[in-house]
Amino acid sequence: MAHIVIIGAGIGGMPMAYEMKQHARPGDEVTVIANTATFHFVPSNPWVAVNWRKRDEIELEIAPLLAARKVRFIQQAAARVHPGRNQVELADGGFVDYDYLVIATGPRLAFEEIPGLGPAGHTQSICHVDHATAAADVWSDFIADPGPIVVGAVQGASCFGPAYEFAFIMETDLRKRKLRDRVPMTFVTSEPYIGHLGLGGVGDSKGMLESMFRDRHIKWICNAKVTRVEDGRMFVTEHDEDGKPKKEHELPFRYSMMLPAFKGVDAVLGVEGLSNPRGFVPIDAYQRNPAYPNVFAVGVCVAIPPVEATPVPIGTPKTGFMIESMVTATAKNIRAALDGREPTEKATWNAVCLADFGSSGAAFIALPQIPPRNVNWFSEGKWVHLAKVAFEKYFMYKLRKGKSEPIYEKIVMDALGVMKLKGH
């Protein structure tokens, strides 16, 4: 019988474990390796950072969830993947053998690429619940003595949605506290225009988000490179359409949250054939690494080229439903391999996104996520805020019940024409 090992227990890793166990043969063993005891729902981190959520409301203990599905759990960091000998080296020096490996680690946050960036420097982060919890403490201090805010995403970033979310959530919280008039806000982004999102825009995302920024008196700087951050000051170079420096900005701030660029985790960074120079895992149409066909990858750790060339380098985001489609394709393709068949399933990489803006929100459907698209829709309204809250509860419910895609979810998504797999 085969041993299928999954590295990571996040948005990609936990559903991967559930679906893989469902598709594995009797007698096959599924093991999850993760450096944390808890799963946390990353999309709720912006709420945690302004004290709208407590971390225990968006966390679940991993071990009992996996034990209930008879999935083995190793709570330890994966130190190195050795694909040539089908082994994962653990932080304690031990090794785990595998027949098939699924890398679902998420990214390493590359704060070190910009001096002064990140929680160890002078800006906050919402990429991890630990960071969001620390940011909430800083936010409480900020509320007592408010001043300018600088928020956004640096050069090389690929996940822009949370930056927009957090900007609007902070703005909403300030208005509720009647402090908005004391807080100038500037959105700094490496995107070529507001609403690009690393996707070349979706529908009228540019016009709608610019309008929302104007309505809320949020200034913006696009094509921006953050050169360094000091205590209370951010140094930004604005570039023109040819990528040449256009203007230097020195932005004062009392509070700042900037999304960093991502890299691959140390376990795969520099492994010949397994990762690219940034540490992301190249895959073929079936989620397999070309150099090692028994190694699959899902989620943010996957290498995807930028949608288009931009004056300042940016990446392509891997959104939730896109990751779920990777998971389903991977589970079915591994089962095919177990049965001695060639893989046939290809993820659609469709994107369905709900971005909460505090009292309202924006939703988009991009089918597929990377253009050209069959569906290219973007909308805004209070209903999105309510839908995001409902989705948080629903996703946590799915994890507790050990179901990656309940039948009623599939019926609804099929009715909307949002499929996980091509040809289905």
Side-chain angles (χ1 to χ4, degrees), residues 176 356-362 380-388:
K176 288 179 177 179
D356 176 57
F357 293 163
S359 57
S360 66
E380 182 266 338
K382 185 175 179 59
W383 68 271
V384 183
H385 168 73
L386 300 174
K388 180 68 176 281

Side-chain angles (χ1 to χ4, degrees), residues 118-142:
H122 306 289
T123 64
Q124 305 305 312
S125 165
I126 54 171
C127 296
H128 191 280
V129 70
D130 291 345
H131 297 161
T133 302
D137 293 336
V138 178
W139 182 252
S140 295
D141 293 338
F142 172 81

Side-chain angles (χ1 to χ4, degrees), residues 49 108-128 131-132 135 138 148-164 166-167 170 185-191 194 213 218-230 232-237 249 251-262 312 314:
R108 185 171 75 79
L109 308 174
F111 294 117
E112 77 284 352
E113 294 184 336
I114 299 174
L117 186 71
H122 306 289
T123 64
Q124 305 305 312
S125 165
I126 54 171
C127 296
H128 191 280
H131 297 161
V138 178
I149 285 177
V150 177
V151 59
V154 306
Q155 59 271 24
S158 57
C159 190
F160 295 94
Y164 286 96
F166 196 51
M170 288 190 293
M185 294 183 68
T186 304
F187 190 83
V188 175
T189 179
S190 49
E191 300 162 274
I194 293 298
F213 272 1
I218 300 174
K219 298 179 180 180
W220 66 82
I221 302 171
C222 295
N223 286 324
K225 282 186 180 179
V226 178
T227 56
R228 72 183 190 278
V229 185
E230 297 177 358
R233 293 191 302 170
M234 185 176 298
F235 296 85
V236 176
T237 303
H249 300 266
L251 304 175
F253 66 84
R254 188 71 58 83
Y255 186 98
S256 178
M257 194 293 298
M258 297 294 293
L259 296 177
F262 292 164
V312 174
I314 62 174

Side-chain angles (χ1 to χ4, degrees), residues 10-91:
I11 294 289
M14 288 297 285
M16 187 71 243
Y18 292 166
E19 289 207 31
M20 194 66 255
K21 188 63 178 179
Q22 176 187 342
H23 287 286
R25 304 166 302 181
D28 290 333
E29 184 180 7
V30 179
T31 297
V32 172
I33 300 171
N35 63 352
T36 177
T38 56
F39 165 90
H40 78 275
F41 188 61
V42 175
S44 294
N45 284 346
W47 293 336
V48 173
V50 293
N51 295 299
W52 291 4
R53 288 286 189 282
K54 298 299 181 185
R55 69 177 295 160
D56 60 3
E57 296 179 271
I58 66 163
E59 280 191 319
L60 295 171
E61 290 290 328
I62 294 170
L65 295 176
L66 295 182
R69 279 86 204 170
K70 297 182 179 179
V71 174
R72 181 186 176 204
F73 177 47
I74 300 174
Q75 188 193 328
Q76 195 173 155
R80 199 69 170 168
V81 175
H82 300 280
R85 58 181 198 250
N86 294 335
Q87 287 184 321
V88 177
E89 182 179 355
L90 302 176

Side-chain angles (χ1 to χ4, degrees), residues 392-409:
E392 174 199 55
K393 308 303 181 188
Y394 175 63
F395 194 93
M396 299 291 278
Y397 164 82
K398 286 200 301 181
L399 283 192
R400 290 189 185 96
K401 294 298 182 181
K403 298 178 179 180
S404 177
E405 185 185 45
I407 185 63
Y408 44 83
E409 177 184 334

